[in-house]
Every structure is written in C-alpha cells, then in structure tokens.
Amino acid sequence: MTIVDRSSEKSDLESAGCKRFGSLTFPGGDGNRMDGSCSSWGPGGPSSSDTPRLKTGGCMGPTPGATVYSNSSAITADRPKEQVVMTSGDGIPLPQKVLFPAERLSLKWNPGFRIGSGLQNMGNSCFLNSALQCLTYTPPLANYMLSREHSKTCHEPGFCMMCTMQNHITQVFANSGNVIKPIGVINELKRIAKHFRFGSQEDAHEFLRYTVDAMQKSCLPGNK
C-alpha cells in the first residue's frame, strides 16, 4: 500500500507554476465544479483517470484553444447593439418614400371607360406599340394617369416619363375606335434608353423595363 502526502502533492503542483482561476462550471449536468483549479481537457473530454484528480483539487496547465465556461459576467465581451429596422408584417423593411398609397389603388376600371384606340406601326415600332398597349390597359395605372394627378404636382422642366405616359394614355382613350401614332413616346425614345434607335427592331420586354424604370425615376427627387 502506498501512502500519498496530500499537502506535499498540493505544494508540488503550486510550485510547478499552476495558476488558479476563478470558479469554473462545466456544462452537462454532472455537477463537476472546479474551485481554484484549471483543466486541460482535450477534444475527447475528461477520462476516467482524470475524475479522481478533479475531486482532490488536481490542476493541469490549460490546453491552447480549449473552451473555458464560466458563469462570471466580467469576462463576457460586450455585444454590439442591433440596429432597429421598422418592418411590415411580411418582414420587408418599410420604404423611405411611398410613391402612391396602396389603399388608393383601384384594380378595376372606373365606370364610363371604353376601349381606346389602336397604335399605328411607324416602321419596326411593333415592340414599342405592344409594350405601350400593355401599360395602357393596366387598370390601376390607367386610372391614375387619366386623373391627371401627376401633372398637377410635376415640376420637371425637362423629360418626364410619367407626363409622357399620361399624355399617351389620355390620347388613346380620347380616340376610341380610331388609330393614332405614338409620336410622343417615339420622340423620347433615346431618353428612355440611349441605345434605342427609331426604325431599329428592339426587344419589347427590354423597352418595357426601361419605360417602367424611367417612370419610377420621374417620381423620385433628384437626378440620381
């Protein structure tokens, strides 16, 4: 039988340079708690041979990279405060500016409107005519344009796509049963997109995208 002097073992460990940490608690619900001791458990956790040593206050040097759990708030790093962003019910941030309130949109045709006029092909302008007809017969957009609400508040001295579309849609519904030439839109073709050329066959979907984009820019303040 071997007799171990606990006091001498403790002094030997302290003389070996073992630093004392605060009270450390390890997760897992096993109740292991180390007071005034440190541990160097590797990735595999404590072995059965280490358990008696923990109970007797044994101490080993900490392994670099080992995770140390503590219930002390002093060593907890301050987390940056999260920025509060106002969102709607679907989680999408609210817009900085509302161009037209949703509650004022009318998805149905206002009573009294008849079918408008057709558009004459001005020479490879079928891409333009088809896109204009799609926009003209979109009820919410047509109702807004025919109310002339935009032109009453527009202060743009130069090109304004919203004013151009308002004049075109108004002319279409004022000439029901006839055929008109979309001269107003054709004259602004290069302002809608610089690479568009009158007489060239362009893509209808591309023209539609540039037209809607130009209409949105007309509603936003500033040039950029």
Side-chain angles (χ1 to χ4, degrees):
M1 181 177 63
T2 303
I3 300 177
V4 180
D5 188 358
R6 299 295 184 182
S7 59
S8 61
E9 183 183 4
K10 182 177 182 181
S11 59
D12 292 338
L13 292 172
E14 293 178 351
S15 62
C18 178
K19 298 180 180 180
R20 294 184 177 275
F21 292 87
S23 177
L24 305 179
T25 303
F26 295 87
D30 55 356
N32 290 335
R33 184 181 182 90
M34 296 178 62
D35 296 326
S37 59
C38 55
S39 176
S40 60
W41 292 351
S47 62
S48 58
S49 59
D50 295 331
T51 305
R53 192 181 180 96
L54 294 175
K55 295 181 178 179
T56 56
C59 179
M60 295 177 290
T63 299
T67 303
V68 178
Y69 298 89
S70 174
N71 57 357
S72 176
S73 59
I75 64 174
T76 303
D78 294 335
R79 296 183 178 178
K81 296 182 179 179
E82 297 181 357
Q83 184 179 1
V84 179
V85 179
M86 300 299 296
T87 60
S88 57
D90 53 7
I92 302 177
L94 297 177
Q96 297 180 0
K97 179 181 179 180
V98 178
L99 300 182
F100 195 79
E103 58 272 11
R104 294 183 55 192
L105 288 177
S106 177
L107 301 181
K108 299 181 179 180
W109 289 101
N110 292 338
F113 287 145
R114 296 181 297 174
I115 297 177
S117 65
L119 301 180
Q120 181 177 340
N121 193 330
M122 304 295 296
N124 287 335
S125 64
C126 54
F127 73 95
L128 181 143
N129 291 350
S130 59
L132 290 180
Q133 291 290 66
C134 289
L135 293 174
T136 301
Y137 290 95
T138 301
L141 179 62
N143 292 333
Y144 175 73
M145 292 300 186
L146 292 174
S147 68
R148 299 181 180 271
E149 185 174 342
H150 173 77
S151 60
K152 296 176 184 178
T153 58
C154 181
H155 303 287
E156 178 60 47
F159 167 68
C160 175
M161 191 62 207
M162 288 292 289
C163 292
T164 302
M165 282 300 302
Q166 177 181 294
N167 295 335
H168 173 77
I169 293 178
T170 301
Q171 186 180 7
V172 166
F173 286 101
N175 293 273
S176 178
N178 298 323
V179 178
I180 64 173
K181 300 178 180 180
I183 297 297
V185 179
I186 292 178
N187 291 339
E188 306 292 353
L189 192 59
K190 294 194 66 175
R191 294 187 178 183
I192 297 174
K194 295 181 180 180
H195 62 280
F196 284 157
R197 298 290 185 273
F198 176 67
S200 300
Q201 182 61 49
E202 305 290 351
D203 183 72
H205 179 257
E206 185 181 10
F207 173 76
L208 178 63
R209 289 177 54 198
Y210 276 100
T211 300
V212 173
D213 186 56
M215 292 170 61
Q216 181 177 352
K217 289 180 179 178
S218 299
C219 298
L220 299 175
N223 295 327
K224 295 184 180 180

